[in-house]
Amino acid sequence: MAHNPQAPQGSNQPDPAGSTQMFQAFVDQGGTPGGTAGRQPTPAAPQSSGPRIGVILGIAGAITVLAVVAWLAFS
């Protein structure tokens, strides 16, 4: 059978990369990736009304165009 170097090793052999110890420390601390354990999330900046005004103006322009086309078609 082929030798698999990534296979689990017995408990009497040390973890050569130390990943098991690092993971255990991570779990014990209750940390999150990036080292932001215990920090409060930063609140999002308030959104500007720029996109909303653009949508409103676009809808008003479309209604105006449709009204002009309808007026020309029925007159």
Side-chain angles (χ1 to χ4, degrees):
M1 187 172 338
H3 173 67
N4 184 0
Q6 296 178 348
Q9 300 174 355
S11 60
N12 59 352
Q13 296 178 350
D15 184 9
S19 60
T20 303
Q21 288 86 2
M22 289 189 295
F23 177 74
Q24 190 63 44
F26 171 78
V27 171
D28 289 342
Q29 282 183 341
T32 56
T36 58
R39 293 186 191 168
Q40 295 292 330
T42 56
Q47 294 181 350
S48 65
S49 60
R52 197 173 349 164
I53 290 176
V55 169
I56 291 171
L57 290 176
I59 291 173
I63 290 173
T64 303
V65 168
L66 289 175
V68 169
V69 169
W71 179 68
L72 289 175
F74 291 120
S75 60

